[in-house]
């Protein structure tokens, strides 16, 4: 039982550290991490665990630019909704693989 709580505590600490790192990186770009949709923040943390926070933000920026160039006539809210759906699907896959 103690091992479970120890592992949970370690996971929570890692998650919090990644959130802080992402918060700093995004702040440099003028983005408030805490204002992002929960699915987006979860996705960023999942990617940051595997590839690092800088790479997670870079991938997010590249995918958003690609979406905007592929669908230039969509509104900003349509892009945001599509991005949230992509993150939601990605989170389901990542959670299933852990």
């Amino acid at each position: 039982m103690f091992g479970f709580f120890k592992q949970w505590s370690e996971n929570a600490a890692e998650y919090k550290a990644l959130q802080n790192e992402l918060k700093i990186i995004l702040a440099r770009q003028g983005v408030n991490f805490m204002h992002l949709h929960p699915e987006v923040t979860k996705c960023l943390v999942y990617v940051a665990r595997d590839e690092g926070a800088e790479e997670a933000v870079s991938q997010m920026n590249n995918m958003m630019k690609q979406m905007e160039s592929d669908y230039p006539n969509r509104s900003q809210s349509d892009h945001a909704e599509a991005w949230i759906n992509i993150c939601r699907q990605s989170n389901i896959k990542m959670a299933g693989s852990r």
Side-chain angles (χ1 to χ4, degrees):
M1 185 68 147
F2 179 71
F4 168 78
F5 288 113
K6 182 178 179 191
Q7 184 63 41
W8 178 82
S9 176
E10 289 171 1
N11 288 343
E14 177 192 24
Y15 197 93
K16 184 74 171 167
L18 288 169
Q19 278 185 322
N20 286 333
E21 198 174 337
L22 288 164
K23 186 168 63 170
I24 292 167
I25 294 166
L26 288 168
R28 284 189 232 138
Q29 298 178 5
V31 176
N32 186 333
F33 181 76
M34 301 312 289
H35 291 172
L36 295 175
H37 190 279
E39 292 290 343
V40 175
T41 61
K42 189 187 312 182
C43 184
L44 282 169
V45 171
Y46 273 140
V47 175
R49 272 186 177 151
D50 295 336
E51 301 182 29
E54 290 279 350
E55 182 62 24
V57 172
S58 177
Q59 285 183 22
M60 179 189 74
N61 288 336
N62 291 337
M63 289 180 70
M64 290 176 71
K65 287 177 188 174
Q66 185 66 44
M67 271 191 348
E68 289 171 1
S69 69
D70 288 349
Y71 305 101
N73 297 328
R74 281 188 179 172
S75 68
Q76 188 173 5
S77 64
D78 288 340
H79 282 295
E81 187 176 328
W83 180 244
I84 291 166
N85 286 332
I86 289 168
C87 289
R88 185 175 289 125
Q89 292 169 1
S90 180
N91 291 340
I92 291 169
K93 288 178 187 174
M94 287 188 244
S97 67
R98 294 197 179 259

